[in-house]
Amino acid sequence: VGYCDIETQTGFASLCLGLGFVLASCRRAGMAEQLSNASAGDSAPALQPKLLSSLSSFGSPAEGRLTTDGPVKGCSKEDVEPDSSDNSTVTGGKKLRDMRALTCLKGLLMMPYQLVRFVTSLHAQFGGFVPVAALQYGVNQGLGGAVGGLALKYYLKDVLGLQNNPALMQNLRAASRIPWNIKPVMGMLSDAYPLFGFHQTSYIAVAAAGGIVGYVCLSVLPLTAIATLPFTLLVRFSSATPDVMIDAFAAKLSKQAPERASDLQSLVWGSLPMGLAVSCAVSGTLVQALGPKMLLLLVSVCPLSVFVPSVLRWLPEERVPKEQRRLDLSFLKKHGSVTALAACMSVLTITLSVLQILVESVYIRGLVILICGVLLALSVYISLCRITPILAKVALFIFVRECLQPSIGD
């Protein structure tokens, strides 16, 4: 992996992280099932060796000793805790290593089955949310976001001829990030007003439809550099808005079933790196074979994969009656400091994006960026201090770190 480009390395690392989340949840679910079966009483003696064998894979041997007190299948207590007078320490350690190797091999062989059982159990409990979340994070955001982003970069370079004007190209790409920076406002808007009677489903459908339109127009219409900005905004909205809606829905389901909250996060963080890994494997080849414009047209399938389930109402969300479809500001007033912070972030983001495009003076842009950064840092700290000072300090640290550590990927 060290000889691959940075996108492939990032995708590989994300895939490992996501698989770790999923496999940990699968193993936890399987062991919980075994423990619940063992608590019934009749199967406890038969399951004890299997449980201890599984648990031993998490322990660390110290000079041939197990961290459990009970018997383990294939190893007697004398093998694991030998007398110092004989030479059985080596034998016990070898048996222990063999047992752990067999446990790891069994875990690898059972991985597909555990993954299918994990997804099936989630679908049985949460219904259509599971495929919608997998399609959003795996296909639309993971695969489509990465492949579409690479195609858009070469579209600006090769089709529009901006390879000799990197400043304008970077300004356009920075401005297209507005939908991701105003995610808090979109989340609050969905909570305050049910669009077409739904707090999440309708927003996902509208955003996905906008992404389809954006990809098609970028691939078909003859556009100038500035004229591409509205369509790139639609493309970003098609992944940013469903992201915050699915995240909000996952939080609501986590409150209903707290014991499955970590499993829902594993679903999300398992789907996203899988899509990123696939995109890292095929994106460069597709750009070279199809060209940026044709690839943008092909990537329009990704928001379509979210649009169709949202129109079919796969999300288990009840429709708000017509007489109750009005703007409800009580939630925003209840959390006034956070609402004000989200509004401030959105206004500053739009201001900086417009400034980067319309103002040519580097000194004016730098001065305004510095002022906006100081104002935003103070707003973050003051607003979050009313919730908890620890959260305010952490948020301020992350903000300052990102300001002082800019991305140099391009």
Side-chain angles (χ1 to χ4, degrees):
V1 178
Y3 293 96
C4 301
D5 56 15
I6 187 64
E7 293 182 352
T8 305
Q9 295 180 26
T10 305
F12 182 79
S14 301
L15 177 62
C16 295
L17 177 63
L19 287 178
F21 273 108
V22 173
L23 294 179
S25 297
C26 294
R27 188 174 184 93
R28 184 174 61 252
M31 294 179 64
E33 181 181 353
Q34 294 176 5
L35 288 172
S36 62
N37 293 335
S39 64
D42 54 345
S43 58
L47 286 173
Q48 185 183 13
K50 185 177 181 181
L51 281 173
L52 290 174
S53 177
S54 300
L55 289 172
S56 67
S57 63
F58 291 100
S60 57
E63 297 180 358
R65 296 176 182 269
L66 278 176
T67 57
T68 57
D69 296 330
V72 180
K73 184 177 180 180
C75 274
S76 63
K77 186 175 181 180
E78 289 77 11
D79 291 331
V80 180
E81 298 183 358
D83 294 332
S84 57
S85 58
D86 55 25
N87 198 23
S88 60
T89 303
V90 178
T91 304
K94 184 176 183 301
K95 287 186 178 182
L96 179 60
R97 289 193 297 270
D98 293 342
M99 181 192 66
R100 291 169 64 88
L102 291 175
T103 303
C104 294
L105 180 60
K106 181 182 177 182
L108 291 175
L109 295 177
M110 294 294 292
M111 186 187 303
Y113 168 73
Q114 294 282 5
L115 182 59
V116 171
R117 191 176 66 171
F118 170 70
V119 176
T120 304
S121 64
L122 285 179
H123 185 268
Q125 185 170 357
F126 301 112
F129 170 80
V130 175
V132 173
L135 289 172
Q136 160 59 22
Y137 288 101
V139 179
N140 187 31
Q141 188 172 334
L143 180 62
V147 177
L150 185 64
L152 183 60
K153 181 166 66 174
Y154 282 96
Y155 175 84
L156 296 174
K157 286 183 177 180
D158 299 339
V159 178
L160 300 182
L162 296 182
Q163 67 272 14
N164 295 325
N165 193 354
L168 178 58
M169 184 175 67
Q170 184 60 29
N171 291 338
L172 291 174
R173 296 182 64 187
S176 67
R177 297 284 302 178
I178 289 178
W180 284 99
N181 295 327
I182 64 172
K183 279 175 54 179
V185 174
M186 296 303 300
M188 293 179 179
L189 179 62
S190 67
D191 291 334
Y193 181 72
L195 184 64
F196 303 122
F198 296 99
H199 286 283
Q200 281 92 25
T201 303
S202 299
Y203 287 91
I204 295 175
V206 172
I212 297 172
V213 173
Y215 278 122
V216 172
C217 291
L218 286 173
S219 61
V220 174
L221 299 180
L223 301 172
T224 61
I226 302 298
T228 60
L229 184 58
F231 301 108
T232 54
L233 288 175
L234 289 177
V235 168
R236 300 301 185 187
F237 265 115
S238 68
S239 57
T241 301
D243 174 81
V244 68
M245 301 303 159
I246 295 296
D247 197 23
F249 210 90
K252 182 171 65 175
L253 294 178
S254 298
K255 292 181 180 179
Q256 298 175 3
E259 70 279 1
R260 302 303 300 270
S262 60
D263 295 335
L264 292 173
Q265 293 299 317
S266 299
L267 173 68
V268 171
W269 290 104
S271 302
L272 179 60
M274 289 181 184
L276 289 174
V278 174
S279 68
C280 291
V282 302
S283 57
T285 304
L286 290 178
V287 170
Q288 185 176 3
L290 301 178
K293 299 185 71 172
M294 184 59 65
L295 184 56
L296 287 172
L297 182 62
L298 180 63
V299 175
S300 63
V301 178
C302 295
L304 181 64
S305 66
V306 180
F307 175 76
V308 174
S310 60
V311 171
L312 296 178
R313 296 173 56 181
W314 284 12
L315 282 179
E317 182 183 9
E318 296 182 0
R319 193 166 194 170
V320 178
K322 290 185 178 180
E323 58 273 11
Q324 299 180 8
R325 298 178 190 176
R326 60 181 180 273
L327 186 63
D328 185 11
L329 299 179
S330 60
F331 176 81
L332 303 182
K333 294 178 181 179
K334 182 180 178 181
H335 305 279
S337 60
V338 179
T339 303
L341 177 60
C344 178
M345 291 173 57
S346 301
V347 170
L348 291 178
T349 297
I350 296 174
T351 301
L352 292 178
S353 300
V354 174
L355 181 75
Q356 294 293 325
I357 297 176
L358 299 182
V359 179
E360 296 183 358
S361 175
V362 178
Y363 300 102
I364 295 178
R365 293 206 308 259
L367 179 61
V368 175
I369 290 174
L370 181 61
I371 295 174
C372 291
V374 174
L375 291 177
L376 185 57
L378 293 175
S379 302
V380 168
Y381 186 78
I382 294 173
S383 300
L384 297 182
C385 262
R386 299 180 180 180
I387 302 175
T388 170
I390 296 178
L391 179 61
K393 293 178 181 179
V394 171
L396 182 62
F397 169 77
I398 295 175
F399 176 77
V400 174
R401 183 194 65 185
E402 293 299 321
C403 290
L404 301 178
Q405 187 180 354
S407 173
I408 57 174
D410 292 330

